[in-house]
Amino acid sequence: AQTVTQSQPEMSVQEAETVTLSCTYDTSESDYYLFWYKQPPSRQMILVIRQEAYKQQNATENRFSVNFQKAAKSFSLKISDSQLGDAAMYFCASMEYGNKLVFGAGTILRVKS
Amino acid sequence: GAGVSQSPSNKVTEKGKDVELRCDPISGHTALYWYRQSLGQGLEFLIYFQGNSAPDKSGLPSDRFSAERTGGSVSTLTIQRTQQEDSAVYLCASSLSPGQGVTGELFFGEGSRLTVL
């Protein structure tokens, strides 16, 4: 069974600084996807970044990038130049091919001005 | 609309009453998911539809919970004889499925907040 673990319940970062959110996962499959979703107070889940497991290159989306370590089953999210609008709950998630999305418990990110 | 639509946005009910929550997925998305999120918690998987069938309903907490999907589109999550512990936000998501140029990405609605008094 898939499991996703986020060991940081809460993180804080100063505006314009960089922060890294940790995530580890477990799966028995070779084909899977990994995701980071953001949930602001409005409740709308928003996809931040996606990584296909067969791709060795780390995904990047503007200020967001991941450090994907397949052997270690680690998938951390780095947010550069943090902005006040980045404050939200961040969920790491994995999806085995053709299966359901499994979420971690989430990390609350606070951005200080 | 272009996104996943859920109704009602908020529902307050009395313990013991039945409630129905509706999800209208993105047109063309054959996969539909229901998740439950308790206050300040992560997302708990409830059930997954592929078309009108549910290959995985392992997350339904009890037989008071049921869901159906008709016409490969709208889904209804029904909770019978509601209990206070059922209070949560119920999120629906839809996605393209394998064979449809899968991206793996789920598109979420804004959720239905259920409060059981």
mmCIF file of all heavy atoms in Angstrom, chain A residues 33 35 37 39 42-45 47 50 89 91 95 97-105, chain B residues 9 33 35 37 41-43 45 48 56 89 98 102-106 108-111 113:
data_model
loop_
_atom_site.group_PDB
_atom_site.id
_atom_site.type_symbol
_atom_site.label_atom_id
_atom_site.label_comp_id
_atom_site.label_asym_id
_atom_site.label_seq_id
_atom_site.Cartn_x
_atom_site.Cartn_y
_atom_site.Cartn_z
ATOM 1 N N TYR A 33 3.368 8.670 -9.782
ATOM 2 C CA TYR A 33 3.518 10.117 -9.836
ATOM 3 C C TYR A 33 3.629 10.649 -8.412
ATOM 4 O O TYR A 33 3.065 10.076 -7.479
ATOM 5 C CB TYR A 33 2.286 10.779 -10.476
ATOM 6 C CG TYR A 33 1.994 10.356 -11.892
ATOM 7 C CD1 TYR A 33 1.122 9.306 -12.147
ATOM 8 C CD2 TYR A 33 2.556 11.015 -12.972
ATOM 9 C CE1 TYR A 33 0.834 8.925 -13.439
ATOM 10 C CE2 TYR A 33 2.269 10.641 -14.274
ATOM 11 C CZ TYR A 33 1.408 9.591 -14.496
ATOM 12 O OH TYR A 33 1.122 9.209 -15.780
ATOM 13 N N PHE A 35 3.284 14.460 -6.225
ATOM 14 C CA PHE A 35 2.701 15.785 -6.340
ATOM 15 C C PHE A 35 2.921 16.576 -5.060
ATOM 16 O O PHE A 35 3.013 16.018 -3.969
ATOM 17 C CB PHE A 35 1.174 15.704 -6.558
ATOM 18 C CG PHE A 35 0.739 14.873 -7.719
ATOM 19 C CD1 PHE A 35 0.585 13.504 -7.592
ATOM 20 C CD2 PHE A 35 0.448 15.454 -8.939
ATOM 21 C CE1 PHE A 35 0.170 12.718 -8.661
ATOM 22 C CE2 PHE A 35 0.026 14.686 -10.019
ATOM 23 C CZ PHE A 35 -0.111 13.318 -9.866
ATOM 24 N N TYR A 37 0.572 19.624 -3.495
ATOM 25 C CA TYR A 37 -0.620 20.451 -3.602
ATOM 26 C C TYR A 37 -0.583 21.500 -2.502
ATOM 27 O O TYR A 37 -0.080 21.272 -1.408
ATOM 28 C CB TYR A 37 -1.894 19.605 -3.437
ATOM 29 C CG TYR A 37 -2.348 18.873 -4.676
ATOM 30 C CD1 TYR A 37 -1.842 17.622 -4.992
ATOM 31 C CD2 TYR A 37 -3.295 19.444 -5.525
ATOM 32 C CE1 TYR A 37 -2.276 16.949 -6.127
ATOM 33 C CE2 TYR A 37 -3.729 18.773 -6.664
ATOM 34 C CZ TYR A 37 -3.212 17.529 -6.949
ATOM 35 O OH TYR A 37 -3.641 16.865 -8.077
ATOM 36 N N GLN A 39 -3.058 24.149 -0.277
ATOM 37 C CA GLN A 39 -4.427 24.431 0.125
ATOM 38 C C GLN A 39 -4.451 25.709 0.961
ATOM 39 O O GLN A 39 -4.136 25.704 2.144
ATOM 40 C CB GLN A 39 -5.036 23.271 0.921
ATOM 41 C CG GLN A 39 -6.515 23.456 1.203
ATOM 42 C CD GLN A 39 -7.102 22.305 1.999
ATOM 43 O OE1 GLN A 39 -6.480 21.791 2.916
ATOM 44 N NE2 GLN A 39 -8.319 21.898 1.632
ATOM 45 N N SER A 42 -8.985 29.216 1.572
ATOM 46 C CA SER A 42 -10.205 29.084 0.761
ATOM 47 C C SER A 42 -10.609 27.627 0.528
ATOM 48 O O SER A 42 -11.686 27.353 0.017
ATOM 49 C CB SER A 42 -9.997 29.747 -0.604
ATOM 50 O OG SER A 42 -9.027 29.028 -1.353
ATOM 51 N N ARG A 43 -9.761 26.685 0.914
ATOM 52 C CA ARG A 43 -10.003 25.229 0.797
ATOM 53 C C ARG A 43 -9.699 24.660 -0.586
ATOM 54 O O ARG A 43 -9.589 23.448 -0.734
ATOM 55 C CB ARG A 43 -11.457 24.825 1.126
ATOM 56 C CG ARG A 43 -11.950 25.112 2.469
ATOM 57 C CD ARG A 43 -13.143 24.243 2.841
ATOM 58 N NE ARG A 43 -14.219 24.227 1.892
ATOM 59 C CZ ARG A 43 -15.467 24.643 2.189
ATOM 60 N NH1 ARG A 43 -15.726 25.154 3.363
ATOM 61 N NH2 ARG A 43 -16.421 24.545 1.292
ATOM 62 N N GLN A 44 -9.566 25.501 -1.590
ATOM 63 C CA GLN A 44 -9.328 24.986 -2.941
ATOM 64 C C GLN A 44 -7.936 24.378 -3.029
ATOM 65 O O GLN A 44 -6.938 25.059 -2.815
ATOM 66 C CB GLN A 44 -9.459 26.124 -3.956
ATOM 67 C CG GLN A 44 -9.263 25.706 -5.381
ATOM 68 C CD GLN A 44 -10.512 25.116 -5.998
ATOM 69 O OE1 GLN A 44 -11.570 25.731 -5.961
ATOM 70 N NE2 GLN A 44 -10.395 23.931 -6.559
ATOM 71 N N MET A 45 -7.868 23.107 -3.354
ATOM 72 C CA MET A 45 -6.582 22.438 -3.533
ATOM 73 C C MET A 45 -6.014 22.826 -4.894
ATOM 74 O O MET A 45 -6.685 22.696 -5.918
ATOM 75 C CB MET A 45 -6.759 20.917 -3.475
ATOM 76 C CG MET A 45 -7.198 20.402 -2.130
ATOM 77 S SD MET A 45 -5.848 20.316 -0.968
ATOM 78 C CE MET A 45 -5.028 18.834 -1.527
ATOM 79 N N LEU A 47 -2.694 22.416 -7.529
ATOM 80 C CA LEU A 47 -1.465 21.685 -7.847
ATOM 81 C C LEU A 47 -0.303 22.652 -7.946
ATOM 82 O O LEU A 47 -0.363 23.643 -8.666
ATOM 83 C CB LEU A 47 -1.623 20.928 -9.159
ATOM 84 C CG LEU A 47 -0.392 20.154 -9.614
ATOM 85 C CD1 LEU A 47 -0.107 19.007 -8.661
ATOM 86 C CD2 LEU A 47 -0.581 19.642 -11.042
ATOM 87 N N ARG A 50 4.440 18.619 -10.152
ATOM 88 C CA ARG A 50 4.239 17.183 -10.389
ATOM 89 C C ARG A 50 5.541 16.575 -10.884
ATOM 90 O O ARG A 50 6.284 17.198 -11.639
ATOM 91 C CB ARG A 50 3.151 16.990 -11.443
ATOM 92 C CG ARG A 50 2.970 15.569 -11.930
ATOM 93 C CD ARG A 50 1.887 15.482 -12.989
ATOM 94 N NE ARG A 50 2.199 16.303 -14.135
ATOM 95 C CZ ARG A 50 1.420 17.271 -14.589
ATOM 96 N NH1 ARG A 50 0.276 17.539 -13.986
ATOM 97 N NH2 ARG A 50 1.759 17.969 -15.646
ATOM 98 N N MET A 89 -1.470 25.430 3.591
ATOM 99 C CA MET A 89 -1.137 24.053 3.944
ATOM 100 C C MET A 89 -0.633 23.384 2.671
ATOM 101 O O MET A 89 -1.275 23.497 1.621
ATOM 102 C CB MET A 89 -2.381 23.325 4.480
ATOM 103 C CG MET A 89 -2.180 21.875 4.780
ATOM 104 S SD MET A 89 -1.452 21.595 6.393
ATOM 105 C CE MET A 89 -2.934 21.387 7.374
ATOM 106 N N PHE A 91 0.455 19.805 0.866
ATOM 107 C CA PHE A 91 0.311 18.360 0.938
ATOM 108 C C PHE A 91 1.181 17.692 -0.120
ATOM 109 O O PHE A 91 1.139 18.048 -1.296
ATOM 110 C CB PHE A 91 -1.145 17.937 0.696
ATOM 111 C CG PHE A 91 -2.084 18.345 1.785
ATOM 112 C CD1 PHE A 91 -2.857 19.487 1.671
ATOM 113 C CD2 PHE A 91 -2.209 17.567 2.929
ATOM 114 C CE1 PHE A 91 -3.733 19.853 2.679
ATOM 115 C CE2 PHE A 91 -3.088 17.928 3.931
ATOM 116 C CZ PHE A 91 -3.848 19.080 3.814
ATOM 117 N N MET A 95 0.687 8.860 -6.379
ATOM 118 C CA MET A 95 -0.341 8.112 -7.105
ATOM 119 C C MET A 95 0.332 7.016 -7.898
ATOM 120 O O MET A 95 1.130 7.291 -8.791
ATOM 121 C CB MET A 95 -1.116 9.033 -8.053
ATOM 122 C CG MET A 95 -2.115 8.285 -8.920
ATOM 123 S SD MET A 95 -2.869 9.328 -10.168
ATOM 124 C CE MET A 95 -4.250 9.983 -9.245
ATOM 125 N N TYR A 97 0.208 4.263 -10.736
ATOM 126 C CA TYR A 97 -0.434 4.345 -12.040
ATOM 127 C C TYR A 97 -1.806 3.684 -12.003
ATOM 128 O O TYR A 97 -1.939 2.529 -11.632
ATOM 129 C CB TYR A 97 0.449 3.666 -13.088
ATOM 130 C CG TYR A 97 0.006 3.875 -14.500
ATOM 131 C CD1 TYR A 97 0.229 5.076 -15.153
ATOM 132 C CD2 TYR A 97 -0.650 2.858 -15.193
ATOM 133 C CE1 TYR A 97 -0.180 5.262 -16.450
ATOM 134 C CE2 TYR A 97 -1.060 3.039 -16.496
ATOM 135 C CZ TYR A 97 -0.817 4.243 -17.125
ATOM 136 O OH TYR A 97 -1.219 4.421 -18.417
ATOM 137 N N GLY A 98 -2.839 4.439 -12.367
ATOM 138 C CA GLY A 98 -4.192 3.910 -12.390
ATOM 139 C C GLY A 98 -4.815 3.739 -11.023
ATOM 140 O O GLY A 98 -5.849 3.103 -10.889
ATOM 141 N N ASN A 99 -4.223 4.305 -10.011
ATOM 142 C CA ASN A 99 -4.722 4.132 -8.645
ATOM 143 C C ASN A 99 -5.133 5.474 -8.047
ATOM 144 O O ASN A 99 -5.201 6.478 -8.737
ATOM 145 C CB ASN A 99 -3.632 3.481 -7.798
ATOM 146 C CG ASN A 99 -4.209 2.646 -6.668
ATOM 147 O OD1 ASN A 99 -5.256 2.959 -6.118
ATOM 148 N ND2 ASN A 99 -3.521 1.576 -6.327
ATOM 149 N N LYS A 100 -5.417 5.475 -6.789
ATOM 150 C CA LYS A 100 -5.876 6.687 -6.130
ATOM 151 C C LYS A 100 -4.693 7.519 -5.655
ATOM 152 O O LYS A 100 -3.572 7.048 -5.527
ATOM 153 C CB LYS A 100 -6.764 6.339 -4.935
ATOM 154 C CG LYS A 100 -6.061 5.523 -3.852
ATOM 155 C CD LYS A 100 -7.037 5.201 -2.747
ATOM 156 C CE LYS A 100 -6.390 4.379 -1.648
ATOM 157 N NZ LYS A 100 -6.315 2.958 -2.004
ATOM 158 N N LEU A 101 -4.984 8.789 -5.386
ATOM 159 C CA LEU A 101 -3.989 9.708 -4.840
ATOM 160 C C LEU A 101 -3.981 9.563 -3.324
ATOM 161 O O LEU A 101 -5.030 9.661 -2.687
ATOM 162 C CB LEU A 101 -4.367 11.132 -5.240
ATOM 163 C CG LEU A 101 -3.332 12.232 -5.100
ATOM 164 C CD1 LEU A 101 -2.157 11.988 -6.028
ATOM 165 C CD2 LEU A 101 -3.967 13.576 -5.415
ATOM 166 N N VAL A 102 -2.798 9.350 -2.765
ATOM 167 C CA VAL A 102 -2.648 9.206 -1.317
ATOM 168 C C VAL A 102 -1.876 10.411 -0.799
ATOM 169 O O VAL A 102 -0.791 10.720 -1.311
ATOM 170 C CB VAL A 102 -1.909 7.899 -0.974
ATOM 171 C CG1 VAL A 102 -1.621 7.821 0.516
ATOM 172 C CG2 VAL A 102 -2.734 6.702 -1.419
ATOM 173 N N PHE A 103 -2.409 11.063 0.231
ATOM 174 C CA PHE A 103 -1.833 12.294 0.739
ATOM 175 C C PHE A 103 -1.083 12.089 2.036
ATOM 176 O O PHE A 103 -1.410 11.207 2.847
ATOM 177 C CB PHE A 103 -2.952 13.318 1.009
ATOM 178 C CG PHE A 103 -3.571 13.895 -0.225
ATOM 179 C CD1 PHE A 103 -4.633 13.261 -0.844
ATOM 180 C CD2 PHE A 103 -3.086 15.067 -0.773
ATOM 181 C CE1 PHE A 103 -5.216 13.790 -1.984
ATOM 182 C CE2 PHE A 103 -3.663 15.614 -1.914
ATOM 183 C CZ PHE A 103 -4.724 14.972 -2.518
ATOM 184 N N GLY A 104 -0.104 12.938 2.264
ATOM 185 C CA GLY A 104 0.500 13.050 3.573
ATOM 186 C C GLY A 104 -0.382 13.905 4.464
ATOM 187 O O GLY A 104 -1.424 14.415 4.036
ATOM 188 N N ALA A 105 0.050 14.082 5.711
ATOM 189 C CA ALA A 105 -0.756 14.804 6.705
ATOM 190 C C ALA A 105 -0.716 16.308 6.522
ATOM 191 O O ALA A 105 -1.525 17.024 7.110
ATOM 192 C CB ALA A 105 -0.286 14.438 8.109
ATOM 193 N N SER B 9 -22.222 24.119 -0.521
ATOM 194 C CA SER B 9 -20.937 24.578 -0.027
ATOM 195 C C SER B 9 -20.831 24.347 1.477
ATOM 196 O O SER B 9 -19.775 23.988 1.993
ATOM 197 C CB SER B 9 -20.769 26.070 -0.340
ATOM 198 O OG SER B 9 -19.539 26.538 0.143
ATOM 199 N N TYR B 33 -13.121 11.186 -7.517
ATOM 200 C CA TYR B 33 -12.669 10.797 -6.183
ATOM 201 C C TYR B 33 -13.423 11.603 -5.121
ATOM 202 O O TYR B 33 -13.707 12.786 -5.311
ATOM 203 C CB TYR B 33 -11.182 11.092 -6.000
ATOM 204 C CG TYR B 33 -10.260 10.495 -7.035
ATOM 205 C CD1 TYR B 33 -10.153 11.037 -8.303
ATOM 206 C CD2 TYR B 33 -9.478 9.380 -6.728
ATOM 207 C CE1 TYR B 33 -9.296 10.486 -9.248
ATOM 208 C CE2 TYR B 33 -8.611 8.833 -7.662
ATOM 209 C CZ TYR B 33 -8.523 9.395 -8.918
ATOM 210 O OH TYR B 33 -7.678 8.853 -9.846
ATOM 211 N N TYR B 35 -12.840 12.632 -1.057
ATOM 212 C CA TYR B 35 -11.955 12.660 0.096
ATOM 213 C C TYR B 35 -12.668 13.376 1.231
ATOM 214 O O TYR B 35 -13.553 14.207 1.017
ATOM 215 C CB TYR B 35 -10.656 13.408 -0.219
ATOM 216 C CG TYR B 35 -9.709 12.674 -1.133
ATOM 217 C CD1 TYR B 35 -9.827 12.761 -2.518
ATOM 218 C CD2 TYR B 35 -8.687 11.886 -0.610
ATOM 219 C CE1 TYR B 35 -8.954 12.087 -3.354
ATOM 220 C CE2 TYR B 35 -7.805 11.208 -1.443
ATOM 221 C CZ TYR B 35 -7.951 11.317 -2.802
ATOM 222 O OH TYR B 35 -7.085 10.643 -3.626
ATOM 223 N N GLN B 37 -11.822 15.668 4.769
ATOM 224 C CA GLN B 37 -10.787 16.404 5.484
ATOM 225 C C GLN B 37 -11.376 16.959 6.770
ATOM 226 O O GLN B 37 -12.221 17.850 6.738
ATOM 227 C CB GLN B 37 -10.236 17.541 4.625
ATOM 228 C CG GLN B 37 -9.074 18.272 5.261
ATOM 229 C CD GLN B 37 -8.478 19.326 4.353
ATOM 230 O OE1 GLN B 37 -9.160 19.880 3.507
ATOM 231 N NE2 GLN B 37 -7.197 19.602 4.530
ATOM 232 N N GLN B 41 -6.664 18.684 9.406
ATOM 233 C CA GLN B 41 -6.071 17.373 9.123
ATOM 234 C C GLN B 41 -5.803 17.182 7.638
ATOM 235 O O GLN B 41 -6.163 18.025 6.810
ATOM 236 C CB GLN B 41 -7.010 16.261 9.622
ATOM 237 C CG GLN B 41 -7.319 16.323 11.100
ATOM 238 C CD GLN B 41 -6.082 16.169 11.944
ATOM 239 O OE1 GLN B 41 -5.301 15.236 11.772
ATOM 240 N NE2 GLN B 41 -5.881 17.094 12.870
ATOM 241 N N GLY B 42 -5.197 16.062 7.319
ATOM 242 C CA GLY B 42 -4.943 15.711 5.926
ATOM 243 C C GLY B 42 -6.186 15.170 5.260
ATOM 244 O O GLY B 42 -7.276 15.171 5.832
ATOM 245 N N LEU B 43 -6.010 14.712 4.058
ATOM 246 C CA LEU B 43 -7.136 14.211 3.264
ATOM 247 C C LEU B 43 -7.232 12.703 3.397
ATOM 248 O O LEU B 43 -6.278 11.987 3.145
ATOM 249 C CB LEU B 43 -6.969 14.594 1.801
ATOM 250 C CG LEU B 43 -7.410 16.000 1.437
ATOM 251 C CD1 LEU B 43 -6.426 17.039 1.927
ATOM 252 C CD2 LEU B 43 -7.624 16.120 -0.060
ATOM 253 N N PHE B 45 -8.933 9.381 1.992
ATOM 254 C CA PHE B 45 -9.587 8.824 0.807
ATOM 255 C C PHE B 45 -10.861 8.083 1.192
ATOM 256 O O PHE B 45 -10.871 7.316 2.159
ATOM 257 C CB PHE B 45 -8.632 7.867 0.096
ATOM 258 C CG PHE B 45 -9.278 7.045 -0.983
ATOM 259 C CD1 PHE B 45 -9.546 7.599 -2.227
ATOM 260 C CD2 PHE B 45 -9.625 5.720 -0.747
ATOM 261 C CE1 PHE B 45 -10.142 6.832 -3.220
ATOM 262 C CE2 PHE B 45 -10.213 4.961 -1.739
ATOM 263 C CZ PHE B 45 -10.477 5.517 -2.971
ATOM 264 N N TYR B 48 -13.321 5.927 -5.045
ATOM 265 C CA TYR B 48 -12.831 6.306 -6.363
ATOM 266 C C TYR B 48 -13.734 5.665 -7.404
ATOM 267 O O TYR B 48 -14.024 4.468 -7.319
ATOM 268 C CB TYR B 48 -11.381 5.839 -6.497
ATOM 269 C CG TYR B 48 -10.863 5.582 -7.892
ATOM 270 C CD1 TYR B 48 -10.881 6.565 -8.866
ATOM 271 C CD2 TYR B 48 -10.313 4.342 -8.219
ATOM 272 C CE1 TYR B 48 -10.374 6.329 -10.132
ATOM 273 C CE2 TYR B 48 -9.796 4.096 -9.480
ATOM 274 C CZ TYR B 48 -9.833 5.087 -10.433
ATOM 275 O OH TYR B 48 -9.325 4.851 -11.690
ATOM 276 N N ASP B 56 -12.533 1.104 -6.143
ATOM 277 C CA ASP B 56 -11.934 1.219 -4.813
ATOM 278 C C ASP B 56 -12.853 2.035 -3.926
ATOM 279 O O ASP B 56 -12.973 3.242 -4.105
ATOM 280 C CB ASP B 56 -10.547 1.867 -4.902
ATOM 281 C CG ASP B 56 -9.772 1.792 -3.595
ATOM 282 O OD1 ASP B 56 -10.389 1.530 -2.544
ATOM 283 O OD2 ASP B 56 -8.547 2.002 -3.622
ATOM 284 N N VAL B 89 -14.943 18.540 6.004
ATOM 285 C CA VAL B 89 -15.091 19.031 4.631
ATOM 286 C C VAL B 89 -14.949 17.839 3.702
ATOM 287 O O VAL B 89 -13.982 17.074 3.808
ATOM 288 C CB VAL B 89 -14.035 20.095 4.298
ATOM 289 C CG1 VAL B 89 -14.128 20.486 2.818
ATOM 290 C CG2 VAL B 89 -14.221 21.327 5.182
ATOM 291 N N PRO B 98 -5.948 6.741 -17.075
ATOM 292 C CA PRO B 98 -4.980 6.110 -17.964
ATOM 293 C C PRO B 98 -5.607 5.775 -19.306
ATOM 294 O O PRO B 98 -6.707 5.268 -19.374
ATOM 295 C CB PRO B 98 -4.584 4.846 -17.211
ATOM 296 C CG PRO B 98 -4.805 5.191 -15.793
ATOM 297 C CD PRO B 98 -5.998 6.113 -15.784
ATOM 298 N N VAL B 102 -2.962 10.359 -19.709
ATOM 299 C CA VAL B 102 -2.974 10.597 -18.273
ATOM 300 C C VAL B 102 -1.876 11.549 -17.840
ATOM 301 O O VAL B 102 -0.747 11.492 -18.309
ATOM 302 C CB VAL B 102 -2.833 9.252 -17.528
ATOM 303 C CG1 VAL B 102 -1.499 8.608 -17.856
ATOM 304 C CG2 VAL B 102 -2.992 9.436 -16.037
ATOM 305 N N THR B 103 -2.203 12.455 -16.969
ATOM 306 C CA THR B 103 -1.205 13.327 -16.351
ATOM 307 C C THR B 103 -1.093 13.015 -14.871
ATOM 308 O O THR B 103 -0.170 13.451 -14.220
ATOM 309 C CB THR B 103 -1.596 14.809 -16.479
ATOM 310 O OG1 THR B 103 -2.793 15.045 -15.738
ATOM 311 C CG2 THR B 103 -1.839 15.161 -17.938
ATOM 312 N N GLY B 104 -2.061 12.286 -14.357
ATOM 313 C CA GLY B 104 -2.063 11.979 -12.938
ATOM 314 C C GLY B 104 -2.618 13.086 -12.088
ATOM 315 O O GLY B 104 -2.845 12.909 -10.904
ATOM 316 N N GLU B 105 -2.859 14.261 -12.657
ATOM 317 C CA GLU B 105 -3.282 15.399 -11.855
ATOM 318 C C GLU B 105 -4.763 15.322 -11.519
ATOM 319 O O GLU B 105 -5.591 15.045 -12.384
ATOM 320 C CB GLU B 105 -3.019 16.696 -12.597
ATOM 321 C CG GLU B 105 -3.478 17.942 -11.848
ATOM 322 C CD GLU B 105 -3.227 19.210 -12.636
ATOM 323 O OE1 GLU B 105 -2.635 19.119 -13.724
ATOM 324 O OE2 GLU B 105 -3.642 20.285 -12.157
ATOM 325 N N LEU B 106 -5.090 15.560 -10.275
ATOM 326 C CA LEU B 106 -6.475 15.670 -9.848
ATOM 327 C C LEU B 106 -6.871 17.140 -9.773
ATOM 328 O O LEU B 106 -6.090 17.976 -9.334
ATOM 329 C CB LEU B 106 -6.681 15.034 -8.472
ATOM 330 C CG LEU B 106 -7.119 13.561 -8.446
ATOM 331 C CD1 LEU B 106 -6.077 12.679 -9.084
ATOM 332 C CD2 LEU B 106 -7.420 13.134 -7.033
ATOM 333 N N PHE B 108 -9.584 19.587 -8.041
ATOM 334 C CA PHE B 108 -10.461 19.550 -6.883
ATOM 335 C C PHE B 108 -11.544 20.612 -6.940
ATOM 336 O O PHE B 108 -11.331 21.711 -7.463
ATOM 337 C CB PHE B 108 -9.648 19.771 -5.603
ATOM 338 C CG PHE B 108 -8.853 18.572 -5.178
ATOM 339 C CD1 PHE B 108 -7.622 18.294 -5.750
ATOM 340 C CD2 PHE B 108 -9.352 17.722 -4.212
ATOM 341 C CE1 PHE B 108 -6.894 17.181 -5.358
ATOM 342 C CE2 PHE B 108 -8.636 16.608 -3.810
ATOM 343 C CZ PHE B 108 -7.400 16.337 -4.381
ATOM 344 N N GLY B 109 -12.682 20.274 -6.336
ATOM 345 C CA GLY B 109 -13.702 21.257 -6.049
ATOM 346 C C GLY B 109 -13.358 21.981 -4.756
ATOM 347 O O GLY B 109 -12.345 21.691 -4.113
ATOM 348 N N GLU B 110 -14.222 22.917 -4.373
ATOM 349 C CA GLU B 110 -13.957 23.689 -3.159
ATOM 350 C C GLU B 110 -14.482 23.002 -1.901
ATOM 351 O O GLU B 110 -14.286 23.499 -0.800
ATOM 352 C CB GLU B 110 -14.548 25.090 -3.291
ATOM 353 C CG GLU B 110 -13.856 25.911 -4.362
ATOM 354 C CD GLU B 110 -14.310 27.352 -4.381
ATOM 355 O OE1 GLU B 110 -15.253 27.703 -3.655
ATOM 356 O OE2 GLU B 110 -13.705 28.145 -5.132
ATOM 357 N N GLY B 111 -15.144 21.895 -2.090
ATOM 358 C CA GLY B 111 -15.568 21.114 -0.943
ATOM 359 C C GLY B 111 -16.934 21.484 -0.398
ATOM 360 O O GLY B 111 -17.456 22.576 -0.648
ATOM 361 N N ARG B 113 -18.676 21.674 3.284
ATOM 362 C CA ARG B 113 -18.432 21.603 4.734
ATOM 363 C C ARG B 113 -19.683 21.109 5.423
ATOM 364 O O ARG B 113 -20.731 21.739 5.349
ATOM 365 C CB ARG B 113 -18.045 22.970 5.294
ATOM 366 C CG ARG B 113 -17.762 22.931 6.802
ATOM 367 C CD ARG B 113 -17.400 24.292 7.354
ATOM 368 N NE ARG B 113 -16.183 24.810 6.764
ATOM 369 C CZ ARG B 113 -14.954 24.450 7.116
ATOM 370 N NH1 ARG B 113 -14.785 23.566 8.084
ATOM 371 N NH2 ARG B 113 -13.909 24.993 6.532
#
